């Protein structure tokens, strides 16, 4: 969790600097995605949706082409992809626990690659600068860009956060169960044998209040996940447009895109591990206890 806090602090600082600098230098990017096709009654295809679909299709095609038919002796592209998966596995498995890891890992890998590629979309030439517009005093004024990074639209980031939250609920109920979830949220964690009798009921009340606060924090997780990702990507787009696409800021946005992909998936894994990783510890202690008894 200390690593997560450091990453969040760095990301927040970069985001603040990004938005502040862009506000001073230029008009920036519209907070609302432009409608490419409007069906009426609130139904439309926006530039961020279209960009998301095209980028996702290209990404899927590239992965399928790189992996093709998996071989025992991997090709170079398959070896690169497997190395990426191994690195992510080493990162997530200790956090989630072995029990829930097989179910959570495909989700986390997909979220990481998807978010990373869409974060870096804004660095490609033409993104946010090609589209419909009109001339104003001899200069072309862009009004409806055709391409917009998926994660610079709040609708896109809230959708990602809701998918992550929905998967979180399914995984914890399947691999932890309602009983463990209720105990983890509201149960008295104090050791009754070592706690004074008069203090134990008071601690039960304290844990109940803390559990209610924890439930509230769980319910706002989709909002915090989505706002953090949207703020950093949208701020980066404003920075690039407001500074005239100075090259030095491209490198900073590469780092921000990577950090935000790591933070989003790392937090998703931590949320799952906080509930599901108890079972691994309990089973390990249980096996050690049996081994000790057998030895005696």
């Amino acid at each position: 969790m200390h690593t997560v806090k450091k990453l969040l602090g760095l990301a927040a600082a970069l985001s603040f600097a990004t938005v502040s600098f862009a506000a001073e230098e230029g008009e920036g990017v519209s907070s609302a995605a432009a409608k490419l096709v409007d069906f009426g009654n609130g139904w439309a295809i926006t530039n961020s949706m279209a960009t998301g679909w095209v980028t996702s299709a290209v990404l899927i095609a590239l992965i399928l082409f790189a992996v093709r038919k998996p071989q025992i002796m991997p090709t170079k592209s398959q070896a690169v992809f497997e190395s990426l998966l191994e690195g992510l596995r080493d990162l997530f498995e200790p956090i989630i626990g072995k029990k829930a890891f097989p179910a959570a890992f495909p989700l986390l890998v997909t979220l990481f690659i998807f978010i990373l590629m869409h974060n870096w979309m804004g660095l490609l030439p033409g993104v946010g600068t090609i589209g419909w517009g009109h001339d104003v005093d001899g200069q072309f004024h862009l009004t409806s860009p055709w391409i917009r990074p998926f994660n610079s639209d709040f609708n896109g980031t809230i959708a990602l956060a809701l998918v992550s939250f929905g998967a979180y609920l399914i995984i914890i109920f399947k691999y932890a169960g309602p009983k463990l979830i209720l105990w983890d949220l509201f149960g008295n964690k104090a050791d009754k044998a070592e706690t004074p009798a008069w203090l134990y009921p008071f601690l039960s009340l304290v844990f109940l209040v803390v559990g209610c606060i924890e439930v509230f924090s769980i319910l706002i997780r989709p909002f915090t996940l989505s706002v953090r990702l949207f703020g950093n990507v949208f701020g980066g787009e404003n920075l690039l447009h407001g500074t005239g696409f100075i090259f030095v800021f491209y490198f900073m946005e590469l780092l921000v895109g990577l950090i935000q992909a790591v933070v989003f998936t790392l937090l998703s894994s931590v949320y799952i591990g906080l509930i599901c990783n108890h079972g691994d510890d309990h089973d390990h202690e249980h096996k050690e206890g049996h081994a000790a008894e057998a030895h005696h």
Side-chain angles (χ1 to χ4, degrees):
M1 288 301 294
H2 181 66
T3 303
V4 173
K5 290 179 180 178
K6 290 174 67 177
L7 287 172
L8 290 179
L10 176 60
L14 288 174
S15 176
F16 178 77
T18 300
V19 176
S20 301
F21 195 87
E24 293 177 2
E25 292 295 327
E27 181 180 330
V29 180
S30 172
S31 58
K35 295 180 179 179
L36 300 181
V37 181
D38 192 351
F39 300 106
N41 298 320
W43 294 90
I45 297 177
T46 64
N47 53 0
S48 62
M49 291 170 61
T51 304
W53 293 339
V54 173
T55 305
S56 299
V58 172
L59 184 60
I60 292 171
L62 288 176
I63 293 175
L64 291 176
F65 177 77
V67 177
R68 301 178 193 175
K69 185 178 180 181
Q71 302 175 11
I72 297 177
M73 293 295 294
T75 61
K76 291 182 179 180
S77 56
Q78 181 182 335
V80 170
F81 191 71
E82 289 179 355
S83 298
L84 172 62
L85 293 181
E86 285 294 328
L88 293 174
R89 176 172 183 165
D90 294 340
L91 174 65
F92 294 132
E93 188 173 22
I95 299 172
I96 300 171
K98 293 182 179 180
K99 185 186 297 183
F101 179 76
F105 187 58
L107 167 74
L108 296 173
V109 169
T110 302
L111 285 175
F112 176 77
I113 296 176
F114 182 91
I115 293 172
L116 180 63
M117 291 298 103
H118 283 280
N119 285 353
W120 286 347
M121 263 295 300
L123 304 180
L124 297 178
V127 175
T129 59
I130 299 176
W132 291 308
H134 54 269
D135 289 329
V136 177
D137 298 329
Q139 293 185 346
F140 182 75
H141 180 69
L142 185 69
T143 55
S144 298
W146 293 342
I147 309 172
R148 179 189 177 108
F150 182 78
N151 293 335
S152 68
D153 183 1
F154 185 65
N155 293 304
T157 59
I158 192 65
L160 289 172
L162 289 175
V163 169
S164 174
F165 186 70
Y168 157 80
L169 293 176
I170 293 172
I171 292 172
I172 64 170
F173 273 98
K174 181 176 180 179
Y175 291 96
K179 185 177 179 180
L180 180 58
I181 293 172
L182 290 174
W183 179 86
D184 189 85
L185 292 174
F186 304 107
N188 191 334
K189 315 303 186 300
D191 190 343
K192 197 170 185 179
E194 299 180 1
T195 305
W198 63 269
L199 182 60
Y200 194 82
F202 175 74
L203 289 177
S204 297
L205 179 61
V206 171
F207 279 112
L208 179 63
V209 174
V210 171
C212 293
I213 298 174
E214 180 66 16
V215 169
F216 176 75
S217 72
I218 290 173
L219 293 177
I220 65 172
R221 283 174 184 173
F223 178 75
T224 56
L225 280 174
S226 58
V227 168
R228 184 183 299 108
L229 180 58
F230 166 73
N232 282 275
V233 178
F234 178 70
E237 285 294 294
N238 274 281
L239 174 65
L240 293 177
H241 284 261
T243 57
F245 297 91
I246 299 176
F247 179 76
V248 67
F249 293 110
Y250 273 74
F251 178 72
M252 191 182 78
E253 286 308 306
L254 282 172
L255 292 179
V256 171
L258 176 61
I259 289 172
Q260 287 308 307
V262 171
V263 168
F264 191 100
T265 50
L266 198 59
L267 285 176
S268 298
S269 66
V270 167
Y271 296 152
I272 296 171
L274 287 174
I275 301 292
C276 295
N277 211 359
H278 293 300
D280 293 343
D281 298 335
H282 176 74
D283 291 342
H284 182 66
E285 293 172 2
H286 186 66
K287 289 178 181 178
E288 286 186 344
H290 274 296
E293 289 177 3
H295 179 72
H296 289 298

